[in-house]
Amino acid sequence: LLFFTAMIAHIATAVMVGLFCWAYKAIKPPYPKICGSTGGPPVTAPRVILSDGRHIAYREMGIPKEEARHKIIVIHGLDSNRNHFLPLSQEFMKELGLYILFFDRAGYGESDPNQKRLVKSEALDIEELADILELGSKFYVVGLSLGTFPVWSCLKYIPHRHVYVYVEGYNDPFVLLWLSGAAVVVPHANYYWPLFPANLVNQCFKKLALRDQWTLRVAHYTPWLFNWWMTQKLFPTLIVSRDGGDILSRTDIEILKKYEDIIRVSKQGCILQGVYVSIYQDMIAAHGKWEFDPMEITNPFPTNEGSVHMWQGGEDKIAALPLNRYISEKLPWIRYHEIPDGGHFIFMNEKICKAIITHVLFG
């Protein structure tokens, strides 16, 4: 009897250890393949080094920044990178005196991951990148889809840069304006922002597919389980690549078909360093617990020295349209534009893309 009891105890221990090891391996995120490291992907893009030692890769478009009258930083969304396509001609950008900067957000493309990634760190990365590249005291930010949460972070944390210039004849220093304007295009909305009405959130949340509902719950409540959730095979999870016809509008399908080859090339290299440090960490940051609620942000341009715009497609099946309408009502200083027959990819429509750029530049 003692023999069998001891044997059962050993088997139970072995099973428990095995389950623990399996669970640890499933939960623990994989190590990223850092660009430029031994065995990692090669570095092909220009990069800068931030104060914490991380590299940020970037791409420039338009006229040289030294000659530009306007400078815009465009922030890519989920499953994208610095090579994001915008249908703007060189002639259009030259006419406006426009310089556009794209960059790989942390973990995407050839930018190093940020293990301490927060909503705030997105704004600080943008601030430091602009500093290093010497964009000057004024620039605009335009965020696309999930790339709009860094814009909210910029409006919260760096609407005005704390640089003081003393002018002869004046006793008080002048504060140089940091952001000249901003736009959130088909913006992501976090269902867990406290100031959303519960009934409106429930109404929008229930319209999501069950797999999406559970994925957002895991990202928000148990982010340490997110890698396991996205890699397990027992339950369906979020479809990362938004190319499925069931969640695209008619105009989205037309745009994707028109620019199919360009989009495929531009998305290459998105997850070079691993899907966890790019897409999964992005989801966790966007849908996790924020340090602030965007509806508490005060007008960064009270004297109309700049403007903030929100662009939304009326047939967008990805962004939560009622929530974005609610944000625009709560923040009347945001200029709201809704394209009735537009989908989620309105920024890839040439006419609308030009309108977004000109509105953010000239109000």
Side-chain angles (χ1 to χ4, degrees):
L1 183 61
L2 290 175
F3 172 77
F4 285 109
T5 302
M7 184 173 66
I8 292 172
H10 283 300
I11 292 173
T13 302
V15 170
M16 290 297 294
V17 170
L19 287 174
F20 176 80
C21 292
W22 171 83
Y24 178 77
K25 185 178 180 180
I27 293 172
K28 182 178 173 59
Y31 289 106
K33 301 175 182 178
I34 304 297
C35 284
S37 65
T38 303
V43 175
T44 63
R47 304 199 301 178
V48 300
I49 303 178
L50 304 184
S51 57
D52 63 1
R54 288 184 295 117
H55 295 83
I56 295 290
Y58 65 93
R59 176 174 71 92
E60 297 169 302
M61 182 176 169
I63 69 173
K65 61 176 178 283
E66 296 79 13
E67 304 171 14
R69 297 193 302 273
H70 308 288
K71 299 162 188 175
I72 297 179
I73 297 180
V74 175
I75 308 167
H76 69 78
L78 190 74
D79 192 26
S80 188
N81 58 19
R82 70 184 183 281
N83 294 317
H84 197 290
F85 169 69
L86 289 183
L88 300 176
S89 66
Q90 186 64 25
E91 290 74 21
F92 173 79
M93 292 183 287
K94 186 175 181 180
E95 179 184 349
L96 293 184
L98 184 59
Y99 164 88
I100 298 180
L101 177 68
F102 301 84
F103 70 101
D104 288 334
R105 294 195 286 121
Y108 280 99
E110 297 180 23
S111 288
D112 292 342
N114 183 1
Q115 301 302 328
K116 299 179 180 179
R117 188 174 188 178
L118 298 169
V119 173
K120 183 176 183 177
S121 67
E122 297 283 314
L124 300 183
D125 283 358
I126 292 169
E127 180 181 30
E128 195 167 357
L129 175 65
D131 253 350
I132 295 172
L133 292 179
E134 299 180 343
L135 296 194
S137 59
K138 295 184 179 182
F139 64 81
Y140 304 81
V141 289
V142 175
L144 310 176
S145 191
L146 199 75
T148 54
F149 85 85
V151 176
W152 294 120
S153 185
C154 287
L155 293 173
K156 169 66 176 179
Y157 295 112
I158 61 167
H160 298 85
R161 189 184 182 200
H162 298 294
V163 175
Y164 298 94
V165 178
Y166 289 89
V167 180
E168 187 175 354
Y170 292 87
N171 294 325
D172 296 325
F174 284 76
V175 181
L176 290 180
L177 183 65
W178 184 233
L179 289 184
S180 296
V184 288
V185 184
V186 292
H188 142 273
N190 188 324
Y191 291 88
Y192 300 96
W193 288 339
L195 294 182
F196 275 141
N199 60 335
L200 182 62
V201 169
N202 291 335
Q203 172 190 336
C204 295
F205 199 74
K206 288 178 180 177
K207 290 182 179 180
L208 297 174
L210 282 176
R211 62 173 183 260
D212 294 356
Q213 293 182 29
W214 279 105
T215 298
L216 298 187
R217 289 188 182 106
V218 173
H220 185 79
Y221 293 110
T222 55
W224 49 276
L225 271 178
F226 198 72
N227 181 66
W228 168 79
W229 173 257
M230 293 298 289
T231 54
Q232 53 80 33
K233 305 300 181 183
L234 297 174
F235 309 101
T237 60
L238 179 77
I239 298 176
V240 171
S241 181
R242 293 301 197 178
D243 297 334
D246 59 329
I247 54 174
L248 296 180
S249 70
R250 174 186 55 81
T251 55
D252 284 337
I253 294 172
E254 291 173 356
I255 287 174
L256 292 180
K257 184 177 293 186
K258 179 179 180 180
Y259 296 115
E260 182 179 3
D261 294 336
I262 297 175
I263 294 172
R264 184 173 60 252
V265 172
S266 68
K267 290 176 72 170
Q268 288 177 354
C270 168
I271 55 173
L272 279 174
Q273 301 174 93
V275 68
Y276 180 82
V277 295
S278 52
I279 291 174
Y280 295 175
Q281 280 197 333
D282 209 16
M283 289 288 296
I284 291 170
H287 294 283
K289 296 178 182 178
W290 284 35
E291 311 97 87
F292 66 96
D293 188 312
M295 285 170 281
E296 296 175 323
I297 297 175
T298 56
N299 185 358
F301 307 112
T303 57
N304 294 322
E305 67 273 26
S307 57
V308 180
H309 299 259
M310 178 184 291
W311 290 79
Q312 178 64 57
E315 297 182 1
D316 190 344
K317 298 181 182 180
I318 297 176
L321 177 56
L323 296 184
N324 287 332
R325 284 176 177 164
Y326 183 82
I327 294 171
S328 68
E329 293 169 2
K330 292 292 290 184
L331 302 177
W333 46 267
I334 291 181
R335 304 181 187 185
Y336 182 72
H337 313 265
E338 187 170 312
I339 311 300
D341 62 345
H344 193 68
F345 296 103
I346 55 174
F347 48 86
M348 295 181 67
N349 175 297
E350 182 179 2
K351 182 179 179 181
I352 298 174
C353 187
K354 287 181 177 179
I356 292 170
I357 296 299
T358 52
H359 275 74
V360 77
L361 293 181
F362 308 116

